[in-house]
Each structure stands twice: as C-alpha cells, then as structure tokens.
Amino acid sequence: MPSQVSIENHCRFFRKKEMGCAAAAPTLVCVKRVKQDEAEEWDETMPLPGDIIEGFAEKDGDDDDDDDDASFVAVKGRSELSSQLGKMVQKVETIWVKVRRGDRTHKLRVRVVVDKSYILHKKYTIRAARDDRHIAVLGDLTLEKCTTLQEMSRRIVNVAFRGFNRKEVKYDWKRKVDTYLPDQASTVVASILFMPFQGEYYIEATISRCMAWFSAAVSSGVPLVFVNIQTEQIVTSEKTNQNGKEISRGGKQQNTSTSVELVQGIRLWFLPGVEQILLEMIPEPGETRFGLDIKRTDEGFICVGEVTKGSVADRAGLQQLLDEANLTKHLLVISRLEGKSVMPSTVGSAGFIHCCDHDEIKDALASAMEGLDIIQLHIMAWPNQTRPKTPQAIAPATLRPPKPPL
C-alpha cells in the first residue's frame, strides 16, 4: 500500500504537468494595443488591437485569394517578426502585412518603425502608413485573447460610431477669397479682449463690463453687430524685487523674481458695421488738407466729426455719409486706415482701453498730404445706409452674393 508521502508526491507531479500543459497553449503574433489615444480616428486600414499577423511582404500580391498568396512570408513569433522587420526597413519604406480579423483576412500597408519600449535591445514594430501616432504594440497572445481584443476594436471602428469615412478634397482658396472677400484689408469680423481686474476671480464681472462697453458703444451711435463672446485664457507675468514690490520696465533692481499667473478673460466678437465701405481720398496739386476732423469716442473708436465742403474728403463721399449719419443718429466710424485697424483691441486689468492714438492718425494724414498720396478708409456702415456715388462697398462674405459665372 503506498505511503501518504508517495501519494502527495504523485499528486504534485500531476499538478505540475497540468500547469505545464496550460503554459504551452499555442500563441499567435497579435497587436496587443496601439499608441493612439484618439480611438475615433481609427479605421480598418490601420493595425488594430486583436489583429493576428499571419504574414508580411514587400509588395502587395496580385492574387485575389489571400490564402493562396505566396508573396507573403509566414509569421511564427514576435521575436522573429521583429528581426525580419529590422532587415526590411533598410530596403523599403513601407511593407504589407496580412492580418486575420475573425474569419476574414486583410492586407494592410504599414511602415516599419523602432519599438521605443525596448531600451537595451533594438526591436521593430509597425505603424499605420498615414498616421505617425498609430504605432502597434505586438505580442504573443492566445487565440481567446486576440478574439476579445478584436471584438473591442470592432465596436470602436463600427461605422455607426465614427460616421462615414473622411477624405481630403482640394479647395480653390484664391478664387473663393477673390470672389467673396475681394478687399483683403476689410476683415468680416473684429474682436476686443477684456482682462479681469486685479483681485477679480469671477468671470461674471468681466462679462458684465464687456456687455456694458458694447451697449454703450452702440448707444453712442457706433454701428456694431454682436456676434459672440468666449472665455480666453491669458498668461500674465510680473517682476518683483525681494521686498515683493513690482519693478518698472526701466528699473535696474537686482535679485528680481517673476511670478506667472493664468487668468481668464472675455473676448467679444462683433461685426464692424453691417458692411465696411471703402473710400479713397485722392488729393490734387495745391491742396494742403484732406478736410476732415476726427475724434475718439469714450469706448475707443475713431469717428469723423466734421468734413470741409469741397475738400478731398468731401469728394470721396464722406460729407454725404456724415449728413446721413447725423439724420439716423449714427456715428461715422473709421474701422481701418490704409488697411490697418484703428479699432480698440484690449481692455487691460487696470481698466484702460487700448485703442489707436488719434493724434498719430492726424500725423499720418498730414504726411500723406505732403506727398499727395492716396489714402484709403474703411467706414462702418449701418442698416439701409445710402451708398455714396464714388466709393466701393465691401460687404461681409456671408452677405455678399456670388459673382455670376463668366
């Protein structure tokens, strides 16, 4: 009769044998995962988790039957495949791999790259031919594990999830811009950025100031059209000395430190009028002034206050527009001078509006008059405004009808 010790040894032998059989379960070379976090960008032309790699070739075979395609070299293990990929990368940029998904096989065009997961020994893997981020991590997995990963990939790449395939199409930008936005100096929309005040931590206060500024500008007669507002993060920095006091830009204080802060501002988008009207002021020999008086509103806009009769500005149509503006209780606001914006751009954290210096505009007009140079102005138009006889009107692209075909 066998002893208790011999029985235990016998049982231990069979447990080891069973464990050895489980460890010897057949494995396949499979894509364990991909280094591409944007799963919505996956498609069936890429290596996907669960793909069983059955073979590789330098060129795609001509035979329609994948099983009889002799151009593909069979894959036996991950290490051997890495070695073969290392040899092929020296001869070709892209290769073809044959992968099995469920009961079907697919040929994928891929690129060979170094697997950076390995530091001591150089290993090679594959990535999608058209996406540098989509790198496959290969492994020797059981058929059950491969099938589970394939089901996960199938759900992600399902057409109902990602919609229809996307493709790139050419667009004639030059022709479209010339047709629908012929005046390159006249932007369709403009914006102004409002910074939070010092010690202000609630965005509602900045929004309130933003809308108060817009309402005040419109009430004063500036023909703005509201488009949108959005939050915008701004990085601010401040230099201080050892005592914590702020240092002026011209200071020479030593031992300074810089504090960086991320604040949230509000950007207001608006149309500078329902249209922007382009006017050209063309001086004649003997003239010394353009004949317009400009001023700045409280909200930072530059407007025409007076036009001299018979002057260059009068001939350009400014007097006609000014008369109509006075009748309709609007201001005749200049949005651009020589293509450059003269509209306010920022409201700082101290409450100051950063706007164009109207004295500098006067100097620019005087300099142009000395050389008898033509000056171009863009004027903000209001609804139902009468157009002067001489200038060209530049409408926003969304409102301008297309040109008839030639």
Side-chain angles (χ1 to χ4, degrees):
M1 184 174 180
S3 65
Q4 181 69 24
V5 174
S6 62
I7 293 176
E8 290 180 356
N9 290 336
H10 185 71
C11 292
R12 191 179 296 114
F13 169 78
F14 276 102
R15 282 198 296 270
K16 288 183 179 180
K17 185 176 181 181
E18 289 174 357
M19 292 174 62
C21 292
T27 59
L28 304 165
V29 180
C30 177
V31 178
K32 292 198 297 185
R33 61 184 179 89
V34 294
K35 299 178 181 179
Q36 222 293 48
D37 296 332
E38 305 296 334
E40 64 270 14
E41 297 182 15
W42 295 3
D43 64 54
E44 294 178 346
T45 67
M46 299 175 172
L48 300 176
D51 282 354
I52 300 171
I53 302 180
E54 296 187 339
F56 61 90
E58 292 186 16
K59 297 181 180 180
D60 184 17
D62 296 329
D63 193 340
D64 293 335
D65 188 351
D66 292 345
D67 294 333
D68 296 334
D69 193 347
S71 64
F72 282 83
V73 179
V75 173
K76 297 180 180 178
R78 178 178 58 84
S79 298
E80 181 185 357
L81 175 60
S82 173
S83 177
Q84 293 290 343
L85 293 177
K87 296 176 182 178
M88 298 184 71
V89 74
Q90 302 175 12
K91 299 185 293 181
V92 293
E93 293 185 358
T94 61
I95 65 170
W96 291 84
V97 293
K98 184 166 63 174
V99 301
R100 178 168 293 279
R101 295 172 182 166
D103 56 354
R104 299 185 60 185
T105 57
H106 303 265
K107 297 176 185 177
L108 310 178
R109 189 168 67 91
V110 297
R111 293 182 181 273
V112 179
V113 294
V114 176
D115 189 345
K116 296 183 180 180
S117 303
Y118 296 88
I119 300 176
L120 298 179
H121 303 285
K122 182 176 289 189
K123 301 286 186 179
Y124 292 88
T125 184
I126 57 176
R127 70 165 173 82
R130 294 184 296 179
D131 192 337
D132 294 345
R133 304 167 299 172
H134 197 95
I135 300 175
V137 177
L138 306 178
D140 294 316
L141 305 179
T142 64
L143 178 61
E144 181 182 1
K145 182 62 175 177
C146 294
T147 303
T148 302
L149 291 174
Q150 285 182 15
E151 179 61 23
M152 180 270 294
S153 297
R154 187 189 64 80
R155 290 196 302 267
I156 291 177
V157 186
N158 189 280
V159 173
F161 170 79
R162 64 180 175 85
F164 294 103
N165 290 333
R166 306 291 177 176
K167 62 179 294 186
E168 296 177 348
V169 295
K170 291 184 178 180
Y171 192 78
D172 192 344
W173 286 102
K174 186 178 185 308
R175 184 176 66 84
K176 295 291 185 179
V177 169
D178 291 343
T179 301
Y180 295 96
L181 194 66
D183 185 359
Q184 302 299 301
S186 175
T187 57
V188 176
V189 294
S191 69
I192 178 172
L193 177 64
F194 289 80
M195 301 283 287
F197 284 176
Q198 292 288 345
E200 222 172 47
Y201 302 104
Y202 298 98
I203 199 66
E204 289 80 6
T206 312
I207 295 176
S208 297
R209 284 196 306 277
C210 165
M211 297 312 299
W213 174 91
F214 179 82
S215 299
V218 173
S219 298
S220 70
V222 181
L224 303 182
V225 179
F226 178 82
V227 174
N228 192 21
I229 60 172
Q230 67 182 61
T231 58
E232 184 169 322
Q233 290 186 333
I234 308 105
V235 177
T236 62
S237 62
E238 180 183 279
K239 288 187 177 181
T240 57
N241 59 21
Q242 290 181 334
N243 297 324
K245 295 182 179 180
E246 184 179 350
I247 296 177
S248 63
R249 292 184 179 180
K252 298 181 180 180
Q253 178 71 37
Q254 301 295 324
N255 301 324
T256 63
S257 62
T258 301
S259 60
V260 178
E261 184 181 7
L262 187 65
V263 298
Q264 197 167 42
I266 290 292
R267 184 171 292 278
L268 168 66
W269 293 91
F270 59 89
L271 295 179
V274 294
E275 300 179 21
Q276 291 185 69
I277 300 176
L278 174 62
L279 301 179
E280 284 191 341
M281 297 193 298
I282 307 174
E284 296 178 352
E287 292 181 313
T288 58
R289 295 182 69 251
F290 281 102
L292 74 160
D293 180 45
I294 60 174
K295 60 182 181 180
R296 187 176 59 225
T297 70
D298 292 343
E299 286 69 45
F301 291 96
I302 303 297
C303 62
V304 178
E306 186 178 348
V307 176
T308 303
K309 185 177 181 179
S311 64
V312 182
D314 187 13
R315 293 197 305 271
L318 278 172
Q319 183 62 64
Q320 176 187 339
L321 293 176
L322 183 59
D323 292 341
E324 185 176 349
N326 292 332
L327 289 174
T328 58
K329 300 186 182 305
H330 284 97
L331 294 177
L332 191 60
V333 184
I334 301 173
S335 59
R336 291 181 177 270
L337 176 66
E338 286 295 287
K340 299 178 181 178
S341 173
V342 295
M343 294 178 285
S345 59
T346 310
V347 178
S349 57
F352 294 105
I353 300 176
H354 296 203
C355 53
C356 189
D357 186 353
H358 69 296
D359 289 331
E360 185 178 353
I361 295 178
K362 292 179 179 178
D363 293 340
L365 293 174
S367 177
M369 178 56 71
E370 290 180 3
L372 294 179
D373 297 328
I374 298 175
I375 288 291
Q376 290 188 336
L377 297 174
H378 282 87
I379 302 295
M380 295 186 190
W382 51 89
N384 302 319
Q385 182 184 30
T386 303
R387 299 294 176 267
K389 297 178 181 179
T390 52
Q392 310 168 33
I394 305 303
T398 54
L399 304 178
R400 186 181 183 88
K403 293 180 180 179
L406 299 177

